[in-house]
């Protein structure tokens, strides 16, 4: 990995570069798709017959100058010959030859033929060189658009396996604790070897069973991807078993080693036990992993969002935004509240708190630390940075809920989502005051306003770039910034910001405040290259958990656990016990599954049981979103905290422990207690508040 070629190491050539090319290809092909649609509209406005002009119209084969009399005689002779050759000797009656009817028919045929020739001639006359060039461009873009639609699964498969392979080689998978000792690495690598071999065997069965079925296998190449990809990962894990990293500390203990096993390995063990050993359905594992290919565009968007976050981390935007608040000398608690509320906006576009932590958590943490927030509070705010915005427009999760559940609409959920957002953000502010370190005072307006406005000036070019780029997409490509287009537009905006910083602005040459040895990019190329290298690791870590959580969902679905739960009449004797059972079930689902897979699972299981018990669908899904977020923040898994550690680094976690040693329980565990308290209170109010209201009124 240390060998270099043209200043790039092997990892950058084999991992970062392919992922960069795929992501750029997705962006450009998406632009081409929008441009193709706009060209069609423009063509129809310029040439009324453009829908015909863009096609190859062949000249009619009929003869407009046909000799009707000659043709009439030919038909008469032909019919007479047929009558003479009749094997039944006319026993069914002689067919009279109506010459006038035949002549009338021939006249109509000639008229129709002339119309066809006139129309074809008109098209040929209209196909000027300019039209042909326009059509050529249109058809080229159409082919590229179709290429993107046909190959979205291929793009995802490349990103999926390249990134997971990179994460495996660098030992950056997400676990309850990082691998540090030799024993940690031994346990973690053995678990990965078991997971990869199980998935390889499942992929082999998935492919061979498809052949044995005797039917045409759709997208067979994807099954080969699974076999080759998981097989390669198995070989890598086997080699790693005999090549422990030199940084590994000697010794270790079993307890910590088990905590170091990547989370996706535990999911793979659970799925393999059920599908391979219990139900004798080995292909079931990869069958559920394959569900990510059914939503290939969605998971490519996940990769793009992570890339956006890593690119944003390379800019000075976060620093400039927080500089606005610095003159006000906000207490750390109030500043953390501001950060969490601000981060609700990008979360609303991604629709998943885990994605936004991976994408922008490092920025949030760095800027909070830069202005003096204590580490545990900054960690708590980072873990919650994506938790409040999942209920806001245009959250992708809400759209997914509405697709799978016709009982609710996006407008209904977004409307109540604003109220839930106000509730959770207010709770965050109030609960954060529990451990306030000083008075809740801010600087006087006379002192802070002028410096704050001055700090706003560097943001003006960033705002203009954002507006101009978004407007260009809207007016030129008819692609307005929403949940569908954000993954395509935002990367372009951030790339434009980096171009501005390194090519037109002096900001990269100015002195900037760094925290804890932070390294700033020195050029546009190093910024994009560094962001992409980080992106590959984070994509691999997140997609491996997402893919394997789908297999856990398959275990839950096929085992009928929720059906058995629904049959427990004691639990559902009234709305209160029903609500309590639903809340507990949803929190557990949130602890072990990614949000997209969890929505699909809950829609077909828990939701149906809730509807039968009289729980209002809108009420149920608002509970679900809050319960999921509590699950992502809850031990023993606490995925959002694990992702936070992934992006800020283990050293920061250790420093946080050191600086709070000997202090109160709340201060020592604030990074866990603050998010848990906020979301627990919010869940109780959202779940049981309406029931109390019904009882009282």
């Amino acid at each position: 990995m240390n060998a270099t070629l043209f200043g790039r190491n092997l990892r950058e050539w084999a991992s970062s570069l392919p992922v960069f090319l795929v992501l750029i290809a997705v962006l450009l092909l998406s632009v081409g798709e929008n441009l193709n649609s706009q060209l069609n509209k423009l063509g129809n406005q310029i040439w009324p017959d453009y829908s015909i002009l863009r096609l190859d119209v062949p000249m009619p084969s009929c003869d407009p100058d046909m000799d009707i009399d000659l043709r009439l005689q030919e038909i008469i002779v032909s019919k007479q010959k047929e009558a003479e050759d009749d094997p039944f000797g006319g026993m069914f009656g002689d067919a009279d030859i109506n010459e006038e009817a035949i002549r009338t028919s021939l006249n109509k045929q000639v008229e129709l033929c002339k119309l066809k020739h006139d129309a074809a001639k008109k098209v040929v006359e209209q196909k000027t060189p300019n039209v042909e060039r326009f059509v050529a461009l249109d058809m080229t873009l159409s082919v590229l658009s179709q290429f993107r639609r046909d190959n979205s699964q291929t793009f995802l498969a490349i990103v999926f396996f390249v990134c997971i392979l990179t994460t495996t080689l660098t030992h950056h998978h997400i676990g309850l604790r990082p691998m540090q000792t030799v024993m940690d690495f031994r346990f973690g690598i053995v678990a990965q070897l078991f997971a990869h071999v199980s998935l390889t065997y499942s992929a082999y069965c998935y492919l061979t069973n498809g052949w044995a079925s005797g039917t045409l296998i759709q997208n067979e190449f994807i099954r080969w991807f699974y076999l080759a990809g998981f097989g390669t990962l198995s070989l890598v894990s086997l080699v790693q078993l005999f090549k422990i990293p030199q940084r590994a500390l000697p010794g270790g203990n079993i307890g910590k080693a088990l905590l170091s096993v990547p989370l996706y390995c535990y999911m793979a063990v659970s799925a393999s036990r059920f599908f391979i050993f219990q139900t004798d359905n080995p292909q079931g594992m990869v069958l559920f992993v394959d569900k990510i290919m059914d939503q290939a565009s969605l998971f490519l968007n996940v990769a793009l969002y992570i890339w956006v976050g890593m690119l944003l981390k390379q800019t000075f935007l976060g620093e400039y935004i927080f500089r606005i608040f610095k003159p006000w000398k906000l207490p750390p608690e109030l500043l953390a509240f501001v950060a969490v509320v601000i981060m609700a906006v990008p979360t609303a576009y991604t629709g998943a708190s885990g994605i936004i932590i991976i994408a922008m958590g490092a920025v949030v943490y760095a800027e909070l630390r830069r202005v003096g927030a204590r580490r545990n509070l900054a960690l708590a705010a980072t873990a919650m940075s994506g938790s409040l915005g999942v209920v806001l427009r245009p959250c992708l999760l809400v759209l997914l809920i509405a697709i799978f559940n016709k009982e609710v609409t996006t407008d209904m959920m977004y409307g109540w989502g604003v109220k839930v957002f106000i509730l959770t953000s207010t709770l965050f502010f109030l609960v954060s005051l529990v451990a306030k370190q000083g008075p809740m005072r801010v600087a006087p307006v006379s002192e802070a306003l002028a410096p704050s406005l001055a700090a706003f000036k560097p943001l003006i070019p960033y705002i203009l770039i954002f507006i101009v780029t978004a407007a260009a997409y809207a007016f030129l490509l008819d692609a307005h910034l929403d949940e569908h287009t954000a993954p395509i537009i935002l990367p372009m905006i951030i790339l434009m910001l980096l171009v501005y910083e390194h090519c037109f602005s002096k900001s990269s040459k100015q002195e900037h405040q760094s925290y804890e040895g932070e390294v700033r990019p020195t050029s546009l190329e190093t910024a994009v290259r560094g962001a992409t290298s980080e992106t590959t690791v984070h994509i691999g870590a997140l997609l491996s958990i997402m893919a394997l959580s789908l297999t856990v969902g398959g275990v839950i679905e096929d085992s009928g656990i929720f059906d058995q739960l629904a049959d427990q009449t004691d639990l559902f004797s009234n709305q209160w016990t029903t609500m309590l059972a639903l809340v507990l079930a949803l929190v557990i689902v949130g602890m072990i599954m990614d949000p997209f897979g969890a929505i699909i699972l809950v829609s077909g299981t828990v939701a149906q049981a809730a509807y039968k018990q009289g729980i209002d669908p809108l009420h149920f899904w608002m509970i679900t979103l809050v319960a999921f977020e509590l699950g992502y923040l809850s031990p023993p898994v606490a995925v959002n905290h694990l992702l936070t550690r992934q992006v800020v680094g283990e050293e920061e976690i250790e420093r946080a422990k050191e600086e709070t040693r000997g202090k109160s329980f709340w201060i020592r565990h604030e990074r866990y207690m603050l998010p848990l308290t906020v979301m627990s209170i919010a869940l109780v109010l959202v779940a049981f508040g309406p029931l109390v209201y019904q009882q009282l009124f």
Side-chain angles (χ1 to χ4, degrees), residues 482-504:
D482 56 25
E483 69 272 21
H484 303 291
T485 60
I488 305 302
I489 298 177
L490 290 178
M492 286 295 189
I493 291 176
I494 306 303
L495 286 171
M496 292 298 102
L497 295 182
L498 284 171
V499 170
Y500 162 74
E501 284 187 352
H502 292 282
C503 300
F504 301 100

Side-chain angles (χ1 to χ4, degrees), residues 427-454:
L427 285 172
F428 181 87
F429 176 67
L430 294 176
V431 175
S432 66
L433 298 182
V434 170
K436 64 185 180 69
Q437 302 288 292
M440 292 296 292
R441 291 198 300 263
V442 298
V445 175
S446 58
E447 294 180 9
L449 183 59
S452 183
L453 292 176

Side-chain angles (χ1 to χ4, degrees), residues 4 49 72 151 189 217 226 320 390 412 441 484 565 597 662:
T4 60
D49 296 328
L72 176 61
N151 291 277
I189 294 171
I217 303 176
Y226 291 139
Y320 287 150
V390 295
M412 293 164 56
R441 291 198 300 263
H484 303 291
L565 183 64

Side-chain angles (χ1 to χ4, degrees), residues 302-340:
V302 170
L304 286 169
Y305 277 127
I306 295 174
W307 194 39
V308 165
M310 296 303 104
L311 288 170
L312 185 62
K313 183 182 174 183
Q314 304 294 323
T315 71
F316 299 108
L317 182 60
E319 179 182 342
Y320 287 150
I321 290 175
F322 279 86
R323 276 186 185 179
I324 297 174
F325 302 102
K326 193 171 182 178
W328 297 93
K329 298 178 181 177
L330 299 177
E333 295 78 14
L334 187 55
L335 191 62
F337 165 74
V338 170
V340 169

